[in-house]
Every structure is written in structure tokens, then in C-alpha cells.
């Protein structure tokens, strides 16, 4: 998105317009991720799971913890686990078919939900699974809002900071590829820690 | 270009990145995965830390959402690497 949304902002700047395309991308991405979490929670609440609210919380924690631990090994490059994803890019044609601002908002909506495109790290699946099994639209929306925030805030920040296409191209083609391995390792570490936390905390809670 | 000459040029570029048009491109893959034993150690340490924190922290929806939300934030930031 660095190479797609940010140039829309540069175009606005060159035309002496207010630079709002990255903001529209950010707000739209945030909104769609909140909507995804809420919808997952709503669908999950319709599941005929046994038990009361505390049993749902327990199940959500255990399932999300297990998913996190399994995918932590995947991110660390120790085992290969299948990642369900469409492996598609958002349509480049949108930038020609729509106005830059409308296209930026549509790209944000598409990437905010995550599963419609490439999923670079398996960490994404943990809040998705947790939101669904917990079955609470509010908490699902809160958890997934942080996914949207993490994905769009850097783009908005770059949009304010950069004013030339060479800068975003440098980040997209040089800086980010260089940090790919540390990014996966860091995700593996937080997945392992978060997964163990969820498993332990929920097991202790049920024990008492 | 003759094969051997092309090899020399490539080596020159790798030795002296200033000769390369984008200067940093030969070093794109600067980081590699550490040895398997080191990765297992990292994973074990992180799991142990999470386990201890999980035992010590009273679980609630707020603490669960904090942990899951933290993971979601990581996933979101990592989506910058999406092509």
C-alpha cells in the first residue's frame, strides 16, 4: 500500500489540495477491521456452544492460545503450517476507475479485513479465532480494531512525512524487505508469549 | 556481455555498493534466521514468560482482549509487508 496510497497523497499535494487520501485509507481500514471483529463475534454468538459466558471465554482463550503457539513455530521457521489466505492483491484498476480519494478508501476497506489479500504473518489468525469463539461483537470489534490501527496508522504517518514517491519506494523496496526476517521472528516471539499466557491464564481460571 | 565479464561486474557491485545504481540493493537480505537451537531457545523463553504471566495474572475479558489486541496490533503492523 505504500506504493499505491501514498502517491495519491502526493498527487493531492501537487494539486495544492488537502492531503486526505491516506487519512481516508486509515479510517476506512479501521472501520472495516472493527466491522470484521463485530461480525465474527455475532456469528460466533450464534454457535451452539455449550456452557455459559465463562465457558465461552475459556474456550476462546484455549483455542486462540493453541493457534498462537502452533503459528509461533511457523513464524520462527521451525515448522510449516498452512495459512488460509486468498493470496490476492487489491485491484490496481481501482486507482484508475475511481477518484484517488474514493480508491484510497476502498483499498483501506479491502485491507482492513485482512483475509481478502495476502496475510504476511499468521499472527492475524489469533484475534480472528478469538473473536469468533468468544462470540461477543463488542470485544471482537475492539480486538480487531487494533489490527486495523496497526495496519493503517503507519501509512497515515508516512503520508504526512513523505512528499516524494522516491521515499515511499525506498521504504517499500529496500527498508521493509531488509527487515522481513526480524519481523517474522518478532511475531513468533509474541505469539509464543501470548499463546502461553492465554492457555495458562484460562486454565488457572477454570481450576479455581 | 561475455559471461565471465558479467560475473566480474556482479562481484564488483557486491564488493562496492556505491557502484550499484541503488547502492543498497545487494544487501536487501541482510538478516537471516538464527540457528534452529537459538530459535527454539527464543521460543521457549517467550513461552515460559507468557506462562508465568498467565499464572500470575487474574484472567478477565479485559486482560484477554489486551493480549489478543496486542497480537492484533503486531499483525496489523506486519501487514505493511503485504505486497
Amino acid at each position: 500500500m505504500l506504493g499505491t496510497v501514498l502517491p495519491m497523497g502526493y498527487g493531492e499535494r501537487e494539486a495544492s489540495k488537502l492531503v486526505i487520501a491516506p487519512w481516508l485509507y486509515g479510517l476506512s481500514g479501521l472501520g472495516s477491521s472493527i466491522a470484521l471483529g463485530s461480525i465474527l463475534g455475532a456469528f460466533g454468538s450464534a454457535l451452539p456452544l455449550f456452557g455459559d459466558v465463562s465457558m465461552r471465554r475459556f474456550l476462546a482463550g484455549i483455542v486462540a492460545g493453541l493457534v498462537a503457539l502452533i503459528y509461533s513455530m511457523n513464524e520462527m521457521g521451525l515448522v510449516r503450517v498452512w495459512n488460509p489466505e486468498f493470496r490476492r492483491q487489491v485491484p490496481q484498476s481501482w486507482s484508475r476507475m475511481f477518484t484517488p480519494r474514493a480508491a484510497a478508501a476502498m483499498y483501506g476497506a479491502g485491507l482492513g479485513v485482512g483475509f481478502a489479500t495476502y496475510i504476511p504473518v499468521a499472527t492475524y489468525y489469533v484475534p480472528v479465532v478469538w473473536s469468533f469463539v468468544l462470540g461477543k461483537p463488542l470485544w471482537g470489534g475492539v480486538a480487531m480494531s487494533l489490527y486495523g490501527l496497526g495496519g493503517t496508522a503507519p501509512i497515515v504517518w508516512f503520508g504526512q512525512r513523505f512528499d516524494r514517491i522516491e521515499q515511499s519506494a525506498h521504504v517499500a523496496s529496500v527498508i521493509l524487505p531488509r527487515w522481513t526476517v526480524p519481523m517474522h521472528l518478532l511475531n513468533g516471539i509474541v505469539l509464543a508469549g501470548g499463546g502461553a499466557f492465554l492457555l495458562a491464564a484460562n486454565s488457572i481460571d477454570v481450576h479455581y | 556481455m561475455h559471461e565471465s565479464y558479467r560475473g566480474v561486474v556482479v562481484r564488483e557491485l557486491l564488493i562496492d555498493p556505491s557502484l550499484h545504481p541503488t547502492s543498497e540493493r545487494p544487501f536487501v537480505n541482510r538478516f537471516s534466521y538464527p540457528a534452529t537451537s537459538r530459535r527454539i531457545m527464543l521460543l521457549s523463553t517467550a513461552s515460559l514468560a507468557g506462562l508465568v504471566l498467565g499464572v500470575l495474572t487474574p484472567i478477565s475479558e479485559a486482560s484477554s482482549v489486551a493480549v489478543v489486541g496486542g497480537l492484533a496490533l503486531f499483525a496489523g503492523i506486519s501487514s505493511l509487508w503485504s505486497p
Side-chain angles (χ1 to χ4, degrees):
Chain A
M1 276 299 101
L2 281 169
T4 307
V5 173
L6 293 185
M8 293 172 176
Y10 305 148
E12 289 177 319
R13 190 168 285 138
E14 280 174 12
S16 301
K17 290 180 181 172
L18 201 60
V19 181
I20 58 170
W23 284 98
L24 286 171
Y25 169 82
L27 289 173
S28 167
L30 191 61
S32 67
S33 59
I34 292 171
L36 173 70
S38 302
I39 290 168
L40 284 169
F43 273 111
S45 66
L47 272 185
L49 285 175
F50 57 90
D52 54 7
V53 174
S54 63
M55 181 55 77
R56 268 189 177 276
R57 197 181 69 200
F58 165 74
L59 279 177
I62 295 296
V63 173
L66 284 173
V67 168
L69 283 180
I70 291 167
Y71 276 124
S72 70
M73 292 183 280
N74 183 68
E75 291 301 315
M76 297 294 274
L78 294 170
V79 295
R80 285 191 62 82
V81 184
W82 177 60
N83 295 3
E85 61 176 340
F86 283 108
R87 300 186 70 82
R88 282 190 316 208
Q89 287 185 301
V90 286
Q92 194 70 35
S93 59
W94 286 356
S95 61
R96 294 186 299 273
M97 290 165 62
F98 303 100
T99 64
R101 289 174 177 174
M106 289 167 71
Y107 284 137
L111 289 170
V113 296
F115 65 83
T117 55
Y118 283 87
I119 298 173
V121 289
T123 313
Y124 168 79
Y125 301 110
V126 178
V128 166
V129 166
W130 183 83
S131 302
F132 179 71
V133 179
L134 186 69
K136 288 197 170 180
L138 174 65
W139 284 125
V142 169
M144 289 308 295
S145 71
L146 288 161
Y147 172 76
L149 186 70
T152 57
I155 300 282
V156 175
W157 186 75
F158 285 134
Q160 300 303 308
R161 195 173 165 81
F162 295 166
D163 53 11
R164 286 184 295 118
I165 199 162
E166 291 82 6
Q167 292 170 308
S168 48
H170 179 75
V171 172
S173 64
V174 177
I175 306 285
L176 289 180
R178 182 180 295 169
W179 288 91
T180 300
V181 171
M183 180 268 290
H184 282 292
L185 290 174
L186 199 56
N187 271 276
I189 289 168
V190 296
L191 275 171
F197 175 91
L198 288 171
L199 282 177
N202 282 284
S203 304
I204 292 289
D205 185 51
V206 166
H207 176 72
Y208 286 114
Chain B
M1 185 183 290
H2 191 271
E3 192 63 33
S4 58
Y5 180 61
R6 193 163 57 194
V8 169
V9 171
V10 170
R11 273 202 301 280
E12 289 280 331
L13 291 175
L14 288 170
I15 291 164
D16 184 359
S18 66
L19 295 171
H20 196 277
T22 54
S23 75
E24 287 168 291
R25 192 158 293 166
F27 301 103
V28 159
N29 295 316
R30 176 177 288 178
F31 299 102
S32 57
Y33 279 98
T36 304
S37 58
R38 202 174 167 85
R39 276 179 277 162
I40 291 172
M41 193 191 72
L42 277 172
L43 209 61
S44 308
T45 308
S47 302
L48 189 65
L51 194 74
V52 170
L53 279 175
V55 169
L56 296 178
T57 310
I59 194 73
S60 64
E61 272 170 355
S63 63
S64 292
V65 85
V67 173
V68 175
L71 292 175
L73 190 66
F74 258 92
I77 293 169
S78 305
S79 71
L80 279 178
W81 275 261
S82 185

